[in-house]
Amino acid sequence: MSQSPESTTNSNPFTKPGFIIAAALVVALIAAAVVIFLLPNEQGNAQPAPAQTSSAPASPSTSTASDESVCGLPASKDTALGTAPTSKWELVGTMAVPTDPPTAGPGTVGKDGLRSCFAQSPTGALYATANIWAASFNGYAKQVYLELSADSPTRDKAVQAIREGKDVGGGTTPKVQIAGFIIHSYTPKAAVVELAIKSSDGGYGAFSTSLLWEDGDWKMDIPAAGGNAVRQISDLSSFIPWAGV
């Protein structure tokens, strides 16, 4: 499948009807808000601008913890996914997420429903990305910071805000579903996964997430400023289709 970059639009998204604007993982002390703009299909002919280029994964953590999965999931020597994995899907809030506990994860589901422990493999990184964002969009923003984020100064500020009782809720829950993916890069220590999502009105958006393998699980590497790379797309032509709804 062709994976040429999809177009972004250079017009002001706030002036266009039909957009869904969703803020997730918001902390007042840091610029780590993520905003997703979903362009309805009928507006897909907007003039394109150059697509954002995914940055290389950040340097892996220097943690001395074992590389082995914290819950015993098998690792893989694969470095890419050419096709969508066959997946069973379950709902986290309103969003369908993939699940394969014996092989890809989640290997652990907490009493509060938070899902963690994903395999050290491209499929595990993909499953982790999907589950992390579903959690953040459906009431688990605080737990994502505390349990599913890699060590970094940005995470430290978020944790401090949480301990001070500041609100880190994700704002309005977006009504979106996963529609496809690209794994831009993968090593056993770091990965960059981009998810395409579809809104209830038929619009599409995409956002890229950096992951680090830390303490036996995939953790989201929170950007130092500005949120994750987000772009508008008009279709799924550059993505591997993958959906549970």
Side-chain angles (χ1 to χ4, degrees), residues 145-192:
Y145 267 126
L146 294 174
E147 301 179 41
L148 303 181
S149 297
D151 287 340
S152 69
T154 305
R155 178 186 178 275
D156 291 344
K157 292 179 181 179
V159 171
Q160 181 180 353
I162 291 169
R163 289 173 177 170
E164 292 173 354
K166 292 185 171 66
D167 182 18
V168 294
T172 303
T173 300
K175 296 180 180 179
V176 298
Q177 298 295 339
I178 296 167
F181 72 91
I182 303 171
I183 296 183
H184 289 287
S185 63
Y186 176 86
T187 72
K189 293 291 189 178
V192 176

Side-chain angles (χ1 to χ4, degrees), residues 112 114 116 142-149 155 217 219:
D112 59 2
L114 187 70
S116 62
K142 182 184 295 185
Q143 290 94 324
V144 167
Y145 267 126
L146 294 174
E147 301 179 41
L148 303 181
S149 297
R155 178 186 178 275
D217 198 5
K219 303 293 180 68

Side-chain angles (χ1 to χ4, degrees), residues 20-42:
I20 292 179
I21 302 172
L25 305 180
V26 178
V27 173
L29 301 180
I30 61 175
V34 175
V35 182
I36 301 170
F37 304 99
L38 296 178
L39 181 64
N41 288 335
E42 62 269 18

